[in-house]
Amino acid sequence: MSATAPIAIIGTGIAGLSAAQALHAAGQEVELFDKSRGSGGRMSSKRSDAGSLDLGAQYFTARDRRFVEVVQQWQARGWVAEWTPSLYHCNDGLLSASPDEQVRWVGIPRMSAITRAMLGALPVHFSCHITEVFRGEQHWTLQDAEGQSHGPFSHVVVAAPAPQASALLAAAPKLAAAAASVAMEPTWAVALAFDSPLASQVEGCFVQDNPLDWLARNRSKPGRDTALDTWVLHASSSWSKQHLDLSKEAVIEHLHGAFAELIGCAVPAPAFSLAHRWLYARPASAHQWGVLADANLGLYACGDWCLSGRVEGAWLSGQEAARRLLEHL
Ligand code: FAD
Ligand code: NAI
């Protein structure tokens, strides 16, 4: 059976697009909304003087059989490739090689290539911040920050981070309360680009007991094309929380210092640097909800915070939202 009006999906991160693709494949009409200028959310990439940079998700792993299968399809279509960095870890300031067998995937030539390809020609409104979701007698209407109304819609799928989702779930107080109970932690991300390659073997590094918790060398990822040696540094959740309102310049200075201390080679002043603050980077703890649903109302919420807080969890949650919605048509 087909819904009586299009299905609205708020959020064009991997969760929203996973739901959109599954619903579209089942013959449903979908319409997507995102407050940003493009798709991807926390998998988006920033264009910069140092080329495209993945400032959010760095890579992803696939453990669930359904996700493994879809990633294989993405690989066959040229959307993703395996990333096999020379991996290190740094504990108590001690840097050591830390090779493993884990398969890690990245979008090519940038992380955002995946969501962009998933979106395809589906109808989407970018730069459209939805502020209210309300239900009339039969249908849903969305209101955006410019005061414009969108609708009617038969169902609404909210695919935004939990704190942003809870405000949009007011029509179903139980769902809104569940979303509001999910704490999400911030991450400061910094990119540093050097004119000459640093004399280091490190291409990816898990860090503990440090302001940093991760570093990645952009040029080691497949399909990245830049003359500069660019690194993406992520601060730990606790450092990010403590320095939430620091200026970008000060964050760059701090994290550049921490990087120079741990990398074990000379680190000159970068030719280019930028900082980005992810306010809702990751859920403080994982959940096993899959999706939050009020099937009678036709309101659904999905996203990484409903599962593992990773790309895979977000994709699976979007699939689950679509499955539950289709079940009730
Ligand atoms: P999002 O990607 O956040 O998408 C939500 C979308 O909703 C956004 O595009 C947003 O603009 C939009 N939106 C929100 N509110 C509104 C509104 N009111 N109106 C309209 N649009 C709205 N995962 C991994 O697996 N591996 C990693 O290495 C990894 N590293 C990470 C590093 C960082 C710094 C961060 C921030 C995340 C990382 N993650 C990683 C997590 C991964 O990025 C997320 O789990 C996943 O991308 C979440 O997808 P999502 O669709 O649930 O949410
Ligand atoms: P994964 O299996 O590569 O990593 C999981 C965790 O295992 C790592 O965080 C690390 O602590 C450890 N680990 C894995 N391989 C290691 C190695 N070779 N040496 C030392 N430690 C190793 O990937 P998975 O499970 O898909 O996790 C995704 C990654 O995304 C994690 O690293 C997670 O921290 C990160 N992430 C970061 C967010 C942020 O806001 N900074 C948000 C969400 C996820």
Side-chain angles (χ1 to χ4, degrees):
M1 198 171 31
S2 193
T4 51
I7 298 165
I9 299 178
I10 306 170
T12 62
I14 188 90
L17 284 164
S18 165
Q21 278 202 322
L23 292 167
H24 180 69
Q28 303 302 319
E29 200 182 332
V30 295
E31 199 170 322
L32 293 113
F33 297 84
D34 203 297
K35 64 186 175 64
S36 297
R37 277 180 297 162
S39 65
R42 281 170 280 159
M43 285 177 83
S44 58
S45 311
K46 186 170 178 67
R47 284 173 206 268
S48 76
D49 293 347
S52 267
L53 298 171
D54 307 331
L55 292 179
Q58 297 293 294
Y59 64 86
F60 57 92
T61 57
R63 298 185 176 124
D64 183 281
R65 179 189 45 78
R66 292 161 293 174
F67 191 54
V68 170
E69 277 170 19
V70 86
V71 174
Q72 281 166 354
Q73 290 165 19
W74 293 351
Q75 183 187 25
R77 291 176 192 156
W79 301 356
V80 299
E82 236 185 275
W83 180 40
T84 51
S86 159
L87 266 184
Y88 282 70
H89 66 81
C90 182
N91 296 346
D92 286 333
L94 221 59
L95 192 63
S96 349
S98 191
D100 65 19
E101 300 290 310
Q102 178 67 56
V103 176
R104 295 181 174 84
W105 299 97
V106 293
I108 46 173
R110 57 188 75 90
M111 202 50 119
S112 60
I114 302 167
T115 50
R116 195 184 173 137
M118 288 172 82
L119 180 61
L122 293 175
V124 60
H125 306 256
F126 285 127
S127 304
C128 185
H129 187 164
I130 302 301
T131 50
E132 258 187 89
V133 174
F134 52 91
R135 196 178 155 84
E137 274 189 15
Q138 295 205 318
H139 288 108
W140 291 95
T141 303
L142 311 185
Q143 178 99 17
D144 70 27
E146 313 269 285
Q148 213 184 316
S149 291
H150 304 268
F153 297 108
S154 62
H155 303 76
V156 178
V157 178
V158 178
Q164 293 165 327
S166 76
L168 303 176
L169 294 169
K174 274 192 184 159
L175 267 49
S181 74
V182 178
M184 292 194 72
E185 297 185 331
T187 295
W188 268 112
V190 161
L192 302 176
F194 303 98
D195 284 325
S196 314
L198 300 189
S200 167
Q201 301 297 314
V202 176
E203 293 178 331
C205 183
F206 298 101
V207 187
Q208 274 171 359
D209 310 314
N210 195 282
L212 294 171
D213 83 354
W214 166 255
L215 25 127
R217 197 171 204 166
N218 194 47
R219 63 199 295 168
S220 67
K221 293 186 176 179
R224 270 65 179 170
D225 180 22
T226 162
L228 299 170
D229 185 15
T230 309
W231 296 71
V232 172
L233 324 177
H234 283 163
S236 67
S237 294
S238 62
W239 192 92
S240 301
K241 252 190 269 182
Q242 279 163 22
H243 298 88
L244 202 58
D245 295 319
L246 214 56
S247 68
K248 288 185 175 178
E249 294 72 24
V251 169
I252 291 169
E253 197 184 319
H254 269 81
L255 298 187
H256 177 260
F259 174 65
E261 217 168 284
L262 84 72
I263 198 67
C265 67
V267 178
F272 167 88
S273 60
L274 65 81
H276 180 84
R277 187 183 68 174
W278 298 99
L279 205 47
Y280 304 123
R282 57 170 130 206
S285 55
H287 295 86
Q288 291 304 323
W289 295 330
V291 60
L292 297 181
D294 187 326
N296 292 329
L297 275 179
L299 186 60
Y300 299 80
C302 61
D304 65 335
W305 51 278
C306 290
L307 282 168
S308 65
R310 297 157 48 240
V311 168
E312 179 177 51
W315 184 85
L316 287 168
S317 176
Q319 293 290 298
E320 190 60 12
R323 191 185 67 76
R324 291 284 291 278
L325 191 158
L326 291 168
E327 218 172 60
H328 280 89
L329 278 184

